Amino acid sequence: MDRIRDPRPELEFLTPYDAKDIKADVVLASNEHPDNIPGEILEWFAERLPRFPFNRYPDPTAKELRKLVAEANGLDAENILVGNGGDELIFDILLAWGGPGRKLLDMPPTFAMYGIDAQVTGTEVVSIQRKADFAVDEEAVIARLSEGDIDIVMIAHPNNPTGNISPETFLIDVLNTTDALVLVDEAYFEFSRHTMRPHMERHPNLVILRTFSKAFSLAGMRVGYILGQESVIREIMKVRQPYSVNAFSQWVATKVFRERVVFQSEIRELMRERDRLLHGLEELQGVESFPTEANFVLFKVEQAGALWRDLLHSHSVLIRDFSRVPGLEDCLRVTVGSTEENTRFLEAMRDILTQRRQAQIMTNGAHARHGSAGELGY
Ligand code: PMP
């Protein structure tokens, strides 16, 4: 044969996820932790690495890690499912509760993977756009859920990339209104400290997602987990890849979770740095930053796309450009980095905006000279 049969027609409208592997001195683009895991933990691994059983398949259900996570959350191991990053679990949920003829309620602008995975799994996306201040349109969501045909709701709490959380009363209303599976995505829980965990007993349709990628410095290991009813976990286990979480990642995440108190002071430090970033941005003319409960800050600035390019090309600072996303026009997102990284970012911003103003004054001046001559009849 000299040709290939077409793939699924739905793929025509999808493009592969572009993780934008752009090199820069200061990378504040993916909400990662600025530091590697602490030195003592690295040494602990280094000592034991020669005896690590690389030749063996991993434990398919990550028993040890599940047990630890369960204990920390006052649950049983059967209430926990560990995945290859939160991303995999979002996909698995859509495989189990979505699919052709089924519907996801999405509240954009939000984490793009909800919509992408819905498309891949043939799930219809019902979108209810957030308001101008990024608050969820609560009335519209509750009204739509009352129609009774939604199968899954996904809500990032705090929301990415906007940083805000929804009122707990609204989330409870959602849970009271629908029997859809409600995923409250708490990927940034360790920063926000807001959790819907206390509502799990009363609402069997509530599932909570967490990750090791942010507060625990393990984005490269790809480990996330969900908390849910045993019956829900059992259904999701039917669609998951049995060995998706590799043995090394399980080993590292288990140790890190055991040592999680060590991360507390760094989390506090990151939150202080976040405040410094917010203040720094507030002082810049023409920049509007939005309140955040996570380890990133969304801000609005004129000609955001050009500013993003200037940051990268003139200052080697990489942040995330959302300016072409509907509802996020002229918005950029910066991850809270180390003190030095945040300082470099703020200095670069100051530089670029000062240059812009000077260029503006020059052009305005030129216009004014021409203009005034005409207007005054000189
Ligand atoms: N949910 C949200 C809201 C996120 O921002 C992210 C990461 N960007 C994830 C889930 C997935 O994280 P991971 O796959 O790294 O666990």
Side-chain angles (χ1 to χ4, degrees):
M1 281 288 168
D2 60 352
R3 59 195 160 81
I4 307 173
R5 185 176 285 246
D6 283 341
R8 278 172 56 203
E10 295 87 342
L11 298 197
E12 197 186 327
F13 307 103
L14 291 171
T15 43
Y17 181 75
D18 177 8
K20 302 221 170 34
D21 187 20
I22 302 168
K23 299 277 174 281
D25 292 346
V26 177
V27 176
L28 302 172
S30 300
N31 302 341
E32 296 149 325
H33 197 294
D35 300 321
N36 202 346
I37 53 175
E40 318 87 83
I41 304 184
L42 284 174
E43 278 165 28
W44 187 92
F45 286 123
E47 260 173 46
R48 289 158 182 80
L49 192 63
R51 293 185 300 283
F52 187 82
F54 286 98
N55 55 323
R56 297 293 175 192
Y57 278 102
D59 170 358
T61 62
K63 273 193 284 307
E64 210 183 334
L65 184 52
R66 280 175 101 189
K67 199 165 147 258
L68 279 180
V69 169
E71 278 166 13
N73 287 283
L75 294 164
D76 295 327
E78 290 70 27
N79 298 117
I80 316 296
L81 183 60
V82 179
N84 189 285
D87 279 348
E88 186 193 38
L89 294 162
I90 293 166
F91 187 62
D92 286 346
I93 288 172
L94 280 154
L95 279 177
W97 255 262
R102 302 189 50 113
K103 296 189 182 103
L104 163 76
L105 184 87
D106 196 22
M107 297 162 222
T110 187
F111 189 42
M113 291 315 294
Y114 308 151
I116 294 169
D117 287 349
Q119 269 186 290
V120 172
T121 55
T123 312
E124 187 182 325
V125 182
V126 175
S127 287
I128 296 188
Q129 194 74 15
R130 286 168 181 259
K131 297 181 176 174
D133 63 354
F134 308 127
V136 167
D137 187 339
E138 298 184 16
E139 274 176 39
V141 167
I142 297 296
R144 188 62 189 78
L145 286 173
S146 303
E147 292 180 32
D149 61 338
I150 299 293
D151 301 290
I152 313 174
V153 181
M154 290 194 175
I155 180 157
H157 185 73
N159 190 37
N160 176 19
T162 60
N164 59 316
I165 54 163
S166 299
E168 194 167 306
T169 46
F170 162 68
L171 296 174
I172 294 169
D173 276 356
V174 167
L175 291 164
N176 283 330
T177 307
T178 183
D179 63 354
L181 198 70
V182 178
L183 178 76
V184 177
D185 181 345
E186 297 182 357
Y188 301 93
F189 158 69
E190 290 80 7
F191 305 111
S192 74
R193 307 302 304 165
H194 286 270
T195 179
M196 289 299 282
R197 163 67 192 89
H199 302 282
M200 277 180 69
E201 278 74 14
R202 206 164 326 132
H203 297 284
N205 54 337
L206 170 63
V207 176
I208 293 172
L209 177 76
R210 306 250 179 88
T211 180
F212 282 82
S213 299
K214 313 296 178 186
F216 296 123
S217 295
L218 291 183
M221 289 286 97
R222 313 302 303 123
V223 186
Y225 59 90
I226 50 176
L227 316 176
Q229 295 301 315
E230 191 180 341
S231 59
V232 171
I233 301 292
R234 218 178 306 122
E235 293 305 312
I236 300 172
M237 278 176 122
K238 293 179 186 173
V239 299
R240 70 181 285 269
Q241 295 292 310
Y243 295 120
S244 67
V245 187
N246 72 70
F248 196 83
S249 293
Q250 288 188 33
W251 186 45
V252 174
T254 304
K255 175 67 178 168
V256 160
F257 200 75
R258 273 192 214 289
E259 305 291 339
R260 63 191 178 284
V261 281
V262 173
F263 290 77
Q264 286 312 317
S265 60
E266 283 197 25
I267 292 171
R268 279 195 294 276
E269 174 59 26
L270 280 176
M271 296 300 86
R272 279 193 291 276
E273 278 298 312
R274 178 182 70 187
D275 290 343
R276 197 168 71 84
L277 262 185
L278 277 167
H279 284 131
L281 285 169
E282 256 165 40
E283 281 167 9
L284 298 173
Q285 216 182 314
V287 175
E288 180 192 359
S289 56
F290 299 99
T292 173
E293 305 272 342
N295 67 335
F296 54 82
V297 179
L298 187 79
F299 62 94
K300 199 168 197 156
V301 61
E302 253 178 52
Q303 294 176 307
L307 188 125
W308 181 87
R309 281 191 296 279
D310 283 351
L311 278 172
L312 180 63
H313 298 130
S314 313
H315 298 269
S316 199
V317 174
L318 178 67
I319 64 170
R320 189 63 70 94
D321 181 4
F322 285 95
S323 62
R324 281 179 299 275
V325 174
L328 296 176
E329 291 76 13
D330 274 339
C331 284
L332 304 175
R333 187 195 70 194
V334 59
T335 301
V336 181
S338 66
T339 306
E340 299 73 44
E341 289 171 328
N342 300 332
T343 301
R344 272 206 45 189
F345 161 74
L346 286 171
E347 278 171 2
M349 287 285 292
R350 218 166 284 138
D351 243 46
I352 295 167
L353 292 171
T354 307
Q355 273 179 19
R356 262 192 192 180
R357 255 195 318 282
Q358 280 166 352
Q360 194 112 45
I361 290 167
M362 304 249 290
T363 37
N364 285 350
H367 285 316
R369 274 195 299 283
H370 289 297
S372 58
E375 278 152 27
L376 295 173
Y378 289 151

